[in-house]
Amino acid sequence: MSVLVILEQQGGKWHRMSWETLAAGQQFAAALGQPVEAAIVGNGVESLAAEAATKKVAKVYAVEHGLLQDYTADAFTAAVEELIRKVNPTLVLFPHTYQVRDFAPKLATRFNQVLISDVISARFESGSPVFVRLLFQGKLNGDVRVSGGGPYFASVQAGAYRADSLEPGSGAVESFTPALDASKIRQKPEAPFRESARAVDLTAAEIIVSVGRGIKEKDNIPVVEALAKALGAELAASRPICDAGWLPMERQVGSSGQTVAPKVYLAVGISGAIQHLVGMKGAKTIVAINKDANAPIFEVADYGIVGDLFEVVPALVEAVNKAKA
Ligand SMILES: Cc1cc2nc3c(=O)[nH]c(=O)nc-3n(C[C@H](O)[C@H](O)[C@H](O)COP(=O)(O)OP(=O)(O)OC[C@H]3O[C@@H](n4cnc5c(N)ncnc54)[C@H](O)[C@@H]3O)c2cc1C
C-alpha cells in the first residue's frame, strides 16, 4: 500500500505542478503512514525518473513505451492502469493539468472509482481520505468522502501545495514497460497545443505585481508597470481590469483567470474578492496596498500598506531602484 503520484512531463520537460503534487503526496503518505511512490509516463524518461528519485520517495517508476512518446488518452490510461494493478496503491494523485483532466476520470472508472478533481487538501479518517474542494467559486470548502475501498483517485489544485516544501531523499528507479496494443489506441497525436506568442505564463512568475480597480483608469497602468519593471515582476490584474481591456485577459488572476503561486504577490488597489483570492492565495508572501484598511485583501496579506497607491507605488519604485543602484 502506498500513495502513488503520477508526475507529468511534456517533451522531456517537467510540468511545474508535478512537484507540487509530489509535495502533497509526501504529506498524505506521512498522514497514512505509508510510503510515497511516483511514476513518470513517456518514452525516454529515465533521467526524469532519476531526478524525481532525489526526493523523498520509495520508488519512481519510469513507465516507458514507444506508444507513450506522444500523449494519447487511450495509451496513458492503459499504461497507468497496468501500473496501478501491479503497485496496488491506496491513493493515486495527479496534478490537476489539462492532460490529467482528459484521461484520469476514464482511468478511475476502470477501478469503479471517480476522480476527485482539483482538491486543495485532504485528511484521513481511519485510513479513508476526506478530500477538500472549493465550491461555488471558492465561497465554500466542501468535504468529499469516497465510499468503498481504494484505490482512491484525486487531482491536486495548482498552488495548493508548495514545491519548495518537498522533502529530499533517495528512492529507487524501476523501469516499467506496459503491454500496450497499438490497435486499441484510437487517438492520433498532433502537435501539442501552443498558446499564442502573446500569452503570458503567470504560473511561472516568481514575483507578480497585480493591479485592481483602484488604479481608476487605463492611463494610470504605467504607475504599476514601473513597479513591476523595478522588481523584475510580471504584471497581472483583477478581472475588472481585463474585462475593461486595460490589460489582456491572459493577465487575469482568479477563479476565471490564472491560478498563481509566486514567491511574492503584490496586490495593488485590489479589494480581495473571493474570486480573486482563490487565484493567488497560494503565494508565499502577499503584500497588499489599499486605501481602505477594512479591505478583505488584508485578511490574507502578510504585509499591508494602508494608503493611496498613487503615493505608495512611486515611493516603492524609487526605493527599489535606489536599493538596486
Ligand atoms: C463568476 C465570477 C467570476 C469571477 N472571476 C474573477 C477572477 O477570476 N478574478 C478577479 O479578480 N475577479 C473575478 N470576479 C470578480 C470579483 O467578484 C470582483 O468583482 C473583482 O475581483 C474586484 O476587482 P478589484 O478588487 O480590482 O475591484 P474592487 O472590488 O472595486 O476593489 C478596488 C479596491 O481598490 C481600492 N482603492 C481604490 N482607490 C485606491 C487608491 N487610490 N489607492 C489604493 N487603493 C485604492 C479600494 O479600496 C478597493 O478595495 C469574478 C466574479 C464572478 C461573479
Side-chain angles (χ1 to χ4, degrees):
M1 302 302 261
S2 64
V3 172
L4 177 65
V5 180
I6 309 297
L7 305 171
E8 186 168 317
Q9 59 88 30
Q10 266 152 21
K13 292 207 173 73
W14 287 110
H15 193 296
R16 179 186 66 88
M17 282 168 63
S18 292
W19 300 124
E20 299 175 6
T21 311
L22 189 56
Q26 287 182 340
Q27 291 175 35
F28 295 176
L32 280 165
Q34 293 182 2
V36 61
E37 298 184 303
I40 176 92
V41 184
N43 193 25
V45 292
E46 308 85 355
S47 60
L48 293 178
E51 190 184 343
T54 63
K55 315 297 176 197
K56 188 180 169 197
V57 283
K59 198 178 275 183
V60 181
Y61 296 94
V63 182
E64 298 190 282
H65 196 289
L67 292 170
L68 297 169
Q69 172 76 35
D70 296 310
Y71 168 78
T72 59
D74 283 342
F76 270 54
T77 304
V80 181
E81 179 186 358
E82 202 180 317
L83 179 73
I84 292 170
R85 297 208 185 276
K86 170 189 148 85
V87 174
N88 195 23
T90 310
L91 169 62
V92 186
L93 273 188
F94 304 85
H96 190 66
T97 62
Y98 289 114
Q99 189 169 291
V100 163
R101 282 175 236 193
D102 191 48
F103 82 94
K106 162 186 160 109
L107 172 69
T109 60
R110 295 205 176 169
F111 294 84
N112 275 333
Q113 284 288 6
V114 288
L115 174 75
I116 311 300
S117 62
D118 219 10
V119 306
I120 57 164
S121 66
R123 60 182 192 278
F124 298 89
E125 295 176 355
S126 313
S128 296
V130 180
F131 297 107
V132 181
R133 301 180 72 238
L134 297 174
L135 303 173
F136 300 112
Q137 298 286 350
K139 281 200 170 60
L140 294 176
N141 284 356
D143 283 354
V144 183
R145 289 178 174 79
V146 189
S147 56
Y152 305 102
F153 292 80
S155 64
V156 177
Q157 185 174 88
Y161 288 82
R162 297 205 59 93
D164 56 15
S165 70
L166 262 179
E167 290 185 60
S170 73
V173 174
E174 186 175 314
S175 183
F176 179 80
T177 310
L180 296 180
D181 176 353
S183 69
K184 296 216 168 100
I185 299 170
R186 294 163 298 176
Q187 302 89 17
K188 287 201 172 36
E190 293 190 355
F193 170 75
R194 283 190 200 284
E195 302 280 346
S196 69
R198 268 180 344 113
V200 187
D201 184 11
L202 293 176
T203 61
E206 294 215 325
I207 309 176
I208 292 178
V209 172
S210 195
V211 58
R213 205 145 44 181
I215 198 73
K216 299 208 168 38
E217 54 187 75
K218 187 177 184 183
D219 290 348
N220 293 332
I221 294 285
V223 174
V224 279
E225 259 168 0
L227 182 58
K229 189 166 171 244
L231 292 169
E234 281 289 355
L235 192 60
S238 65
R239 179 165 162 172
I241 301 302
C242 299
D243 279 352
W246 297 356
L247 282 174
M249 285 299 193
E250 65 217 30
R251 293 196 182 265
Q252 181 182 318
V253 168
S255 59
S256 48
Q258 295 201 43
T259 301
V260 298
K263 286 192 178 151
V264 182
Y265 188 90
L266 282 105
V268 183
I270 291 177
S271 60
I274 187 68
Q275 293 87 358
H276 189 81
L277 297 186
V278 295
M280 45 65 80
K281 64 179 176 16
K284 196 163 188 188
T285 303
I286 298 171
V287 182
I289 303 168
N290 197 304
K291 67 177 188 186
D292 175 7
N294 295 316
I297 192 74
F298 288 124
E299 286 169 26
V300 297
D302 299 287
Y303 299 95
I305 304 172
V306 179
D308 185 341
L309 74 89
F310 295 102
E311 290 168 20
V312 176
V313 173
L316 276 178
V317 174
E318 200 184 319
V320 172
N321 287 338
K322 205 180 273 177
K324 286 199 304 192

